[in-house]
Amino acid sequence: MSLALPTFDDVVRASETLKGVAHRTPVMTSATADRQTGAKLFFKCENLQRMGAFKFRGGYNAIANLTPEQKKTGVLTYSSGNHAQAIALAGKLHNVATIILMPEDAPAAKKAATEGYGATVVTYDRYTQSREDIARQMQEQTGMILIPPYDHKDVISGQGTAAKELFEEVGELDYLLVCLGGGGLLAGSALAAKALSPGCKVYGVEPELGNDGQRSFRSGEIVTITPPKSIADGALTPYLGQLTFGVIKRDVTDILTVTDAQLVETMKFFAERMKIVVEPTGCLGAAAVMKGELNVPPGARVGVILSGGNVDLKQYGELLSA
Ligand SMILES: *Cc1c(COP(=O)(O)O)cnc(C)c1O
């Protein structure tokens, strides 16, 4: 079976669609982080993106590419949080109705923000129910268009625009570290890297307990795991997508894992030293290089995507003070 994988041209088109709509987020540096790693780190701050994560890029791009009839019918999706908010906000900006399937245990702030953007939220139990099955049923009943969180050409292309901006701003890099859930951000970033910085080694980073991506990458087949428990709630996907894996297998160097304890230390670093709020999932890439899971040579130029900043304040406070 050959799948039509997204290309860098799709990422370029997405960046045109997002021009003036998505924030061109800042790239931050830190003398402390550089001293600690011996490298030169460039943090692409998607925690400062609209709705608080890069997912706005893919969600907006996917809705923008619907036909007028499809827009009239409305959009349906499932998400543990940030894709939900992305679709809800993008739906509002396009004047398209949205229904979001969300796990019961998703962070309260994410549920509230999603409803705040005008979406209808329906909850399910992610340990006993399949969100794909529920979504399929609802799709049949309502005729709404399903925009999945990562395995979709326009979603992947939209997510790739963050890395595209990073390379445009800082030039070529030796390494790029990307948070990995279902692989939309990693696949899009890899497309941008291959085109704009061909020598750059691209790594995906996922929670140690949710290492389906690493196992898939190393075995060459998509591996499915039982939904993991980790504070990285945006990376609890049990398997990669067909499209995302197709790009990842071809264009990514390797997939690494970090522990929850390493994520907490990294989150504290961002709060204390850089004065920015980064959610646990958003710390995956940074933790890999700052906690030594990836050793880079002295002076290496390392790009790190900070994927999001949506935290439940109560949980954030508890993790910071632990
Ligand atoms: C969704 C999400 C990820 C993972 O993105 P994928 O495209 O599913 O791999 C990483 N970080 C944050 C903050 C997210 O919301």
Side-chain angles (χ1 to χ4, degrees):
M1 186 176 68
S2 92
L3 287 165
L5 299 178
T7 65
F8 181 63
D9 286 344
D10 296 316
V11 179
V12 172
R13 264 192 295 278
S15 69
E16 292 300 318
T17 300
L18 290 168
K19 198 174 268 172
V21 183
H23 295 320
R24 199 178 172 95
T25 53
V27 176
M28 290 178 74
T29 56
S30 158
T32 308
D34 288 357
R35 205 162 42 240
Q36 217 172 291
T37 56
K40 180 76 199 148
L41 304 188
F42 300 95
F43 298 104
K44 175 67 170 167
C45 293
E46 287 296 298
N47 55 318
L48 303 177
Q49 184 52 263
R50 286 184 82 166
M51 57 62 50
F54 71 92
K55 286 222 175 63
F56 177 70
R57 297 173 182 269
Y60 187 92
N61 189 50
I63 294 185
N65 280 295
L66 296 177
T67 64
E69 295 74 42
Q70 289 173 322
K71 284 181 182 161
K72 214 175 281 169
T73 314
V75 167
L76 169 73
T77 196
Y78 44 78
S79 164
S80 62
N82 284 332
H83 177 65
Q85 288 180 64
I87 289 295
L89 173 58
K92 185 166 109 167
L93 295 172
H94 286 288
N95 209 10
V96 168
T98 51
I99 293 184
I100 317 287
L101 270 169
M102 202 179 270
E104 283 158 1
D105 58 351
K110 292 187 177 183
K111 260 190 231 173
T114 305
E115 285 170 338
Y117 289 125
T120 303
V121 172
V122 177
T123 59
Y124 69 97
D125 179 350
R126 73 188 165 89
Y127 295 101
T128 61
Q129 292 179 290
S130 152
R131 61 189 197 174
E132 284 86 352
D133 289 347
I134 304 173
R136 218 171 296 119
Q137 264 172 24
M138 290 179 64
Q139 208 182 353
E140 279 163 20
Q141 286 161 8
T142 62
M144 290 173 100
I145 307 299
L146 177 66
I147 299 182
Y150 50 86
D151 210 23
H152 186 289
K153 181 166 159 277
D154 298 325
V155 172
I156 295 168
S157 318
Q159 317 305 32
T161 60
K164 174 175 176 287
E165 288 173 10
L166 174 62
F167 289 115
E168 285 167 354
E169 184 156 339
V170 305
E172 297 202 18
L173 295 168
D174 300 311
Y175 297 87
L176 179 64
L177 291 159
V178 184
C179 314
L180 173 61
L185 183 63
L186 179 58
S189 301
L191 292 174
K194 288 298 145 199
L196 301 176
S197 184
C200 180
K201 292 190 170 78
V202 180
Y203 289 85
V205 185
E206 61 187 353
E208 189 172 61
L209 297 173
N211 69 338
D212 62 290
Q214 184 181 61
R215 289 166 58 186
S216 303
F217 187 82
R218 294 182 182 178
S219 70
E221 304 280 339
I222 296 176
V223 172
T224 301
I225 58 172
T226 50
K229 291 196 178 182
S230 160
I231 57 168
D233 58 78
L236 299 182
T237 41
Y239 44 77
L240 300 178
Q242 301 287 337
L243 297 174
T244 58
F245 187 56
V247 174
I248 289 167
K249 204 161 49 167
R250 187 190 65 197
D251 292 342
V252 165
T253 303
D254 200 5
I255 295 179
L256 311 169
T257 66
V258 297
T259 64
D260 278 11
Q262 290 173 322
L263 290 175
V264 170
E265 286 177 29
T266 307
M267 212 169 69
K268 285 183 183 171
F269 171 84
F270 287 121
E272 188 171 35
R273 306 306 295 251
M274 292 180 70
K275 325 301 172 192
I276 52 176
V277 176
V278 185
E279 63 184 274
T281 315
C283 292
L284 284 164
V289 64
M290 295 178 70
K291 297 293 150 199
E293 295 298 328
L294 177 69
N295 285 308
V296 297
R301 290 165 53 80
V302 183
V304 177
I305 300 193
L306 304 184
S307 55
N310 289 327
V311 293
D312 193 72
L313 272 188
K314 187 165 171 288
Q315 188 209 18
Y316 186 63
E318 282 164 6
L319 290 175
L320 286 190
S321 57

